[in-house]
Amino acid sequence: MKTLHVDLGTRSYPIHIGTGLLDDSELIRPHIQGQEVMVVTNETIAPLYLERTLALLDGYDVATVILPDGEQYKTLDTLNLVFDALLEKHFTRRCTLIALGGGVIGDITGYAAASYQRGVNFIQIPTTLLAQVDSSVGGKTGVNHALGKNMIGAFHQPQCVIADTETLNTLDDRQLSAGLAEIIKYGLINDADFFEWLEQNMPSLLSRDPDALAYAIERSCHDKAEIVAADERESGVRALLNLGHTFGHAIETGTGYGNWLHGEAVGCGMWMAAELSHQHGWFTQTELDRTRDIIEKAKLPIQPPTSMNSDQFLDIMAVDKKNLEKKIRLILMKGIGKSFISDDFDNTLLKELLEKNIAQAKQE
Ligand code: NAD
Ligand code: GLY
């Protein structure tokens, strides 16, 4: 097992990464406050991992909530099901919520913990690659709105993150690739050495080589923890973690939540951010080719959905948490590992880029 730390003063916490951690009650019990524990999971994950999770909680007053599965259920209505259960059980401020699942469960549970009785403790047990490398770390919680992805939420850090890499054995290949998108993101943002490692090791990751996966998860969590420690509430550098996300969120919102996976949308978004950077002369042709190559090698789509047009993209991109004073802000790159936040790009180039990519997608 490897343990990393997110250094946030009194809100610091460990991230445990390894195999068989779901059977180690000593990892979780020190982080449970009080006697009341609510495990939040979904109908897909419950039959796989709920029993083992409950076995860790012997002696506590434990309740479970099993939510419907899917990004389309990351809503205020679903969140309310968690509040219903907490209130029906008369759970108090000293309760602890446990998120057992992927990013959807983690984000909903985290937001429930942030707001139930103005804030209770929670623990992340991420079970997808995406959640193990990204969403379980850093304390962003929330739900979607029909008009914008993740628009309702709060910063609320977990007490600990327990990433049992064996849970990835039951994940399907499409979900594995979605997680790889966020891993590639760290290389592009500020870790060129990791990007090179990924170029060499993508086949091992796709074939689920345990050592390769463990290394990629650790390095991703390390990179993310550093950025979160530097800027917990995203007043600066943390925005870089949104590389590809402004395009990606537009795809998820524009095609209807759940049709494109979050990681797929981010993969396509990173490609468009790379192309826009290239068009401004900031990103070389070689860097662009390497970016396309690694996204494709991870079996992620490059082309945007044909059901959307450029105006729809731009409309939705105008509703983004990074935007200030009605200007779209994007994460762009001046090289692999050299990302920056910009509202100083050519809007005409952006529109043309969207139109070109959508037209190309329609031809194929
Ligand atoms: P997800 O939570 O929908 O999980 C993907 C699918 O895999 C679901 O059907 C789920 O039931 C299933 N699943 C989960 N674990 C499994 C396992 N071990 N075996 C088999 N099936 C399993 O999707 P995700 O990709 O984990 O997360 C995406 C969400 O995370 C998005 O809503 C995104 O906005 C959010 N996100 C949040 C942050 C953050 O910082 N909070 C960062 C990145 C993404
Ligand atoms: N996934 C973006 C962030 O955590 O800031």
Side-chain angles (χ1 to χ4, degrees):
M1 180 182 86
K2 184 105 175 180
T3 300
L4 307 174
H5 292 275
V6 185
D7 293 322
L8 290 169
T10 53
R11 291 182 306 289
S12 298
Y13 53 94
I15 309 168
H16 301 298
I17 303 163
T19 55
L21 306 193
L22 258 188
D23 298 315
D24 187 349
S25 64
E26 291 314 306
L27 294 178
I28 197 165
R29 293 174 81 96
H31 300 285
I32 296 175
Q33 192 199 22
Q35 273 302 303
E36 302 156 354
V37 181
M38 173 82 63
V39 182
V40 183
T41 188
N42 75 22
E43 58 206 6
T44 305
I45 301 151
L48 295 169
Y49 302 112
L50 182 57
E51 208 179 302
R52 276 170 74 192
T53 305
L54 295 178
L56 302 173
L57 303 171
D58 200 29
Y60 290 99
D61 174 8
V62 183
T64 55
V65 189
I66 299 180
L67 301 177
D69 182 8
E71 183 75 36
Q72 65 275 30
Y73 295 107
K74 190 174 148 181
T75 60
L76 285 170
D77 283 347
T78 310
L79 178 72
N80 215 22
L81 298 176
V82 183
F83 294 140
D84 289 347
L86 287 163
L87 288 164
E88 277 160 16
K89 295 277 172 199
H90 299 182
F91 270 24
T92 66
R93 267 198 169 149
R94 270 179 68 74
C95 71
T96 299
L97 271 56
I98 297 178
L100 173 69
V104 169
I105 288 295
D107 282 11
I108 295 174
T109 309
Y111 190 35
S115 39
Y116 185 64
Q117 301 204 14
R118 302 202 179 91
V120 298
N121 281 351
F122 88 112
I123 290 169
Q124 289 270 18
I125 305 186
T127 60
T128 62
L129 182 58
L130 186 140
Q132 293 189 356
V133 300
D134 193 350
S135 61
S136 65
V137 174
K140 277 191 183 174
T141 73
V143 295
N144 301 326
H145 186 281
L147 298 180
K149 172 91 182 144
N150 292 340
M151 276 292 155
I152 321 290
F155 287 99
H156 190 59
Q157 301 294 342
Q159 302 307 114
C160 75
V161 179
I162 300 172
D164 185 335
T165 52
E166 272 175 10
T167 59
L168 303 181
N169 293 339
T170 51
L171 205 61
D172 69 33
D173 288 345
R174 192 175 163 204
Q175 298 290 350
L176 189 86
S177 288
L180 291 172
E182 302 281 17
I183 291 177
I184 293 168
K185 177 184 80 174
Y186 297 112
L188 286 169
I189 290 174
N190 69 358
D191 195 347
D193 290 344
F194 186 35
F195 189 90
E196 273 180 41
W197 182 89
L198 289 169
E199 288 179 313
Q200 283 151 24
N201 290 279
M202 193 51 78
S204 312
L205 291 170
L206 284 169
S207 66
R208 300 173 193 238
D209 175 273
D211 292 338
L213 274 175
Y215 178 76
I217 295 166
E218 284 161 29
R219 181 96 174 215
S220 299
C221 286
H222 169 271
D223 287 356
K224 179 156 186 181
E226 253 184 14
I227 292 179
V228 170
D231 179 23
E232 182 184 6
R233 291 189 164 239
E234 199 168 309
S235 48
V237 69
R238 184 164 182 171
L240 300 179
L241 291 171
N242 287 306
L243 173 64
H245 283 57
T246 310
F247 295 100
H249 286 170
I251 293 174
E252 290 186 81
T253 309
T255 55
Y257 299 122
N259 289 310
W260 276 56
L261 301 183
H262 176 71
E264 292 171 340
V266 167
C268 177
M270 290 192 295
W271 162 249
M272 290 201 272
E275 236 196 337
L276 190 62
S277 305
H278 174 63
Q279 287 173 348
H280 283 81
W282 297 323
F283 209 58
T284 66
Q285 184 64 50
T286 311
E287 287 165 334
L288 187 64
D289 293 343
R290 286 174 68 194
T291 303
R292 183 180 181 119
D293 203 41
I294 199 156
I295 295 170
E296 287 186 335
K297 270 197 187 137
K299 301 199 187 305
L300 289 160
I302 289 283
Q303 289 176 333
T306 51
S307 59
M308 288 179 70
N309 61 41
S310 60
D311 287 335
Q312 242 179 314
F313 257 99
L314 293 170
D315 268 1
I316 304 173
M317 287 166 80
V319 184
D320 184 272
K321 293 188 290 311
K322 286 185 297 307
N323 296 345
L324 296 175
E325 288 153 11
K326 301 211 185 282
K327 269 189 143 176
I328 295 179
R329 297 208 303 163
L330 294 173
I331 311 306
L332 298 175
M333 291 173 284
K334 293 194 170 167
I336 285 169
K338 293 183 187 154
S339 63
F340 66 105
I341 183 157
S342 171
D343 60 9
D344 190 20
F345 53 83
D346 185 335
N347 278 297
T348 314
L349 281 181
L350 171 60
K351 190 166 167 61
E352 283 171 9
L353 168 102
L354 289 165
E355 280 166 1
K356 186 190 83 173
N357 275 280
I358 293 166
Q360 276 172 358
K362 281 184 175 159
Q363 273 168 14
E364 293 193 7

